[in-house]
Amino acid sequence: MANMAAVMNRLGSIDIEERPEPVPGPADVVIEIRAVGICGSDITYFTHGRIGQWIVDGPIVLGHEASGVVIDCGPEVQRVKAGDRVAIEPGVPCDNCRECRRGDYHLCADLAFLATPPYDGALVQRLRMPERCVYPIPDSMTFEQGALAEPLSVGLWACRRSGLRPGEDVLVTGAGPVGILAGCAALALGARTVTIVDVSDFRLSIADRLGLRAERPSGRADPDHDVLIECSSAQPALTSGLRRLRPGGRAALVGVPKTELAELPLAELVPQEVTLALVNRYAHTWPTAIALLAGGRVPSEHLVSHHFPLEATAEAFTLPGRSQDSLKIVIEPQRLAG
């Protein structure tokens, strides 16, 4: 049985190729991948070939939001067994550096992260991962929900980085999947209100259906929120969002700026003692993310807008540029076209 993968051999092009069958090491598992969510970073690699310091310089398999079924285990594996349904945390730290030893494994300089050059990702039918990177999901969860544990983890980490406290008012700029999930996470963690701002009526309609207050950009600068979670990567959204923070407000910046330098209205922020926190992925979030999705405290039924078989990966990657009504796209590697 061939192990097929969606391989980007050239910029903007995907080939379906056979990859070697994975064999587990002593503490590894082999997973039959059932669902892979497409992230904005995947599309950026597909269209531009780089994100900051990470440059695609050869064939690469994309996709890092994944779930599936364990089909083989190494002899030292103890937490999972063949047949378990699992969500995959896509970063493998070294476990030896100062950051790993203090628990900040997401800051490990040697972190091997799926679909980040030079490491291949999860758009493959069978994948080997360390046991430490897989988390069982209940039968009540779908595989697409398992894949959503990754972007939800980004939202959870943003809430933690912002120092969100129950009863606070939260502003989210950018109603992509991460922004919407960050807003839903904030509500689940006790936010009094969550307002989300975007230019897309379609995305705002999904946010509204999931219980968030949806707004289009208005240029208003009233200090009416305690926390800002910036997920748009747009300079105007960052500036206007910061200006809507109350004195002592906190901002968590998830979006990666499209330019090397971002502008901050410091003359306005300093007197208010606004705190800025940067967000680099997540750490120790998977059990919480799975519990919130499985228990329905973070709703997900409207987030996935499209499903594709593995052979249509190229079509899936170009869909956001062709359709205004796409949100989270999921590829099912076990489903072939035809």
Side-chain angles (χ1 to χ4, degrees):
M1 181 171 57
N3 184 29
M4 306 307 293
V7 184
M8 189 179 88
N9 288 305
R10 300 165 302 282
L11 198 65
S13 178
I14 296 288
D15 300 308
I16 306 301
E17 300 178 356
E18 185 174 353
R19 284 295 174 99
E21 194 67 36
V23 177
D28 296 335
V29 299
V30 175
I31 305 157
E32 182 181 81
I33 301 297
R34 297 293 186 89
V36 181
I38 299 305
C39 175
S41 65
D42 295 314
I43 294 174
T44 300
Y45 283 130
F46 179 75
T47 56
H48 299 290
R50 68 177 298 164
I51 298 176
Q53 62 183 313
W54 292 285
I55 301 171
V56 178
D57 59 1
I60 188 171
V61 176
L62 296 172
H64 62 266
E65 305 174 1
S67 66
V69 177
V70 174
I71 59 173
D72 197 5
C73 299
E76 297 177 8
V77 171
Q78 297 180 354
R79 290 192 303 107
V80 296
K81 62 185 184 303
D84 283 353
R85 307 163 78 254
V86 295
I88 300 171
E89 182 170 4
V92 184
C94 75
D95 285 335
N96 295 315
C97 66
R98 180 182 66 175
E99 287 72 26
C100 284
R101 290 196 302 270
R102 73 186 185 198
D104 296 329
Y105 62 84
H106 62 304
L107 302 180
C108 173
D110 294 320
L111 187 75
F113 199 88
L114 294 182
T116 299
Y119 304 106
D120 281 334
L123 281 170
V124 62
Q125 291 183 314
R126 290 174 293 284
L127 176 70
R128 180 179 67 190
M129 291 295 293
E131 178 193 19
R132 62 165 295 164
C133 295
V134 300
Y135 295 85
I137 61 175
D139 291 341
S140 60
M141 281 182 68
T142 65
F143 287 112
E144 67 180 34
Q145 284 178 310
L148 288 173
E150 198 280 340
L152 175 56
S153 284
V154 178
L156 284 169
W157 193 245
C159 290
R160 293 183 189 178
R161 291 284 289 156
S162 73
L164 173 66
R165 296 185 288 262
E168 292 190 313
D169 297 308
V170 176
L171 175 66
V172 179
T173 46
V178 168
I180 291 175
L181 285 168
C184 291
L187 284 178
L189 295 174
R192 187 172 74 95
T193 64
V194 176
T195 301
I196 190 163
V197 179
D198 201 281
V199 298
S200 166
D201 289 334
F202 171 74
R203 294 189 171 201
L204 289 176
S205 70
I206 300 299
D208 180 70
R209 294 171 73 180
L210 295 178
L212 309 180
R213 296 182 176 182
E215 286 186 5
R216 291 186 61 84
S218 63
R220 60 188 296 184
D222 302 327
D224 51 1
H225 289 84
D226 304 292
V227 166
L228 166 67
I229 301 177
E230 206 301 293
C231 300
S232 74
S233 304
Q235 178 66 56
L238 172 61
T239 302
S240 63
L242 289 170
R243 285 174 170 155
R244 292 184 67 177
L245 286 175
R246 294 175 176 133
R250 289 96 61 207
L253 310 187
V254 178
V256 178
K258 294 180 172 61
T259 57
E260 182 179 359
L261 300 177
E263 297 180 4
L264 299 173
L266 290 179
E268 301 172 46
L269 301 180
V270 170
Q272 307 299 322
E273 282 202 343
V274 167
T275 299
L276 303 181
L278 304 181
V279 176
N280 177 36
R281 298 173 178 146
Y282 34 69
H284 312 290
T285 55
W286 243 254
T288 301
I290 291 170
L292 290 175
L293 287 163
R297 292 185 60 195
V298 168
S300 61
E301 60 269 23
H302 304 299
L303 275 174
V304 177
S305 59
H306 294 81
H307 296 82
F308 287 88
L310 185 68
E311 291 176 356
T313 296
E315 181 183 354
F317 272 61
T318 59
L319 179 66
R322 296 181 284 107
S323 171
Q324 297 295 316
D325 294 343
S326 67
L327 191 56
K328 176 55 68 180
I329 299 167
V330 169
I331 296 174
E332 299 168 351
Q334 305 306 314
R335 184 166 69 92
L336 298 177

